[in-house]
Amino acid sequence: MSISAHNLVWGVRHKTIVADVSLSVAPGETLGLIGPNGSGKSSLLRLLAGLKQPLSGRVEILGQDIARVPRRTLARQVAFVQQNAATDTNVSVRDVVRLGRTPHRSALSGWSAADEAVVSAALERVDMTGHRAQAWQTLSGGERQRVHIARALAQSPQVMFLDEPTNHLDIHHQIEILRMVRDLDLTSIVALHDLNLAAMFCDRIVVLKAGAVVDCGTPDAVLTETLLRDVFRVNAEVCAGPIPCQTHIRFKAA
């Protein structure tokens, strides 16, 4: 397995936010994390990426306990894309993507042709080469998310974590971003709030409620009318197509 979590527990001020979570992700798989607001999706994602330390339990990436992996080494293996990373600094798209090379460079090393090649390849992968000199502040929301992903790709990771990367984007850009993530040659874990997008683009889905795993499996197996009612408190009709990625949810008015 690329990623495995074993009995993760985390919380603050005597409140448990992630409750005894165990899961595994296969190489090249796209795993979706879904659940109501406050279910622990973002906290679990940060635990899996090593950005938070669990109170108990452990995370293994590529067979290594990440608690024993130096931070710089871990940053070469995994990348994290936030919901709405922002900056007021007047920087270009290329400058933002260049930050992804930081884990691979020492304090005294200069910028190399190899670094530039990686940045160029990352920009090309997200179809932003033509914007490399453009100012960050002039980009649309969808373009900024593409640049975030390019910066993550510049880290040359094997695993990518994405925290609601389609938040506040229109439907065209939501589909565009998730299709691009799915087509990357990486293991990906993505927290999503849109259930239909999770069904379209994730190989498997983990459903969280109150910090605990309620169910895990393919979208067509997990997204049932009973689960939607019990976990999300909505009435819906689940329309299953001939293949799992065609599972579609129609919400019913109360």
Side-chain angles (χ1 to χ4, degrees), residues 97-174:
V97 179
R98 277 168 56 107
L99 293 173
R101 297 304 298 161
T102 301
H104 298 272
R105 303 174 63 243
S106 68
L108 300 178
S109 64
W111 186 254
S112 69
D115 290 322
E116 190 62 37
V118 171
V119 168
S120 295
L123 285 166
E124 183 176 358
R125 189 66 181 272
V126 301
D127 195 25
M128 288 293 288
T129 300
H131 299 267
R132 62 185 298 127
Q134 188 171 339
W136 168 260
Q137 291 90 339
T138 65
L139 298 178
S140 69
E143 289 170 338
R144 289 188 180 192
Q145 285 298 72
R146 284 182 172 274
V147 175
H148 290 324
I149 294 171
R151 179 176 63 182
L153 290 174
Q155 289 179 230
S156 302
Q158 294 170 282
V159 180
M160 185 179 292
F161 299 91
L162 303 100
D163 189 6
E164 298 196 8
T166 60
N167 203 21
H168 304 309
L169 299 183
D170 59 49
I171 187 62
H172 169 75
H173 286 113
Q174 290 177 16

Side-chain angles (χ1 to χ4, degrees), residues 45-94:
L45 202 66
R46 282 164 170 75
L47 289 169
L48 295 172
L51 300 179
K52 292 182 182 291
Q53 300 301 313
L55 298 177
S56 62
R58 72 182 190 280
V59 177
E60 294 179 356
I61 294 181
L62 306 174
Q64 297 178 300
D65 184 341
I66 63 173
R68 302 181 179 182
V69 177
R71 297 295 91 183
R72 189 178 186 86
T73 300
L74 187 63
R76 294 172 181 171
Q77 298 174 342
V78 306
F80 193 95
V81 178
Q82 301 181 59
Q83 286 186 41
N84 294 303
T87 178
D88 294 327
T89 307
N90 186 23
V91 293
S92 69
V93 166
R94 175 177 173 271

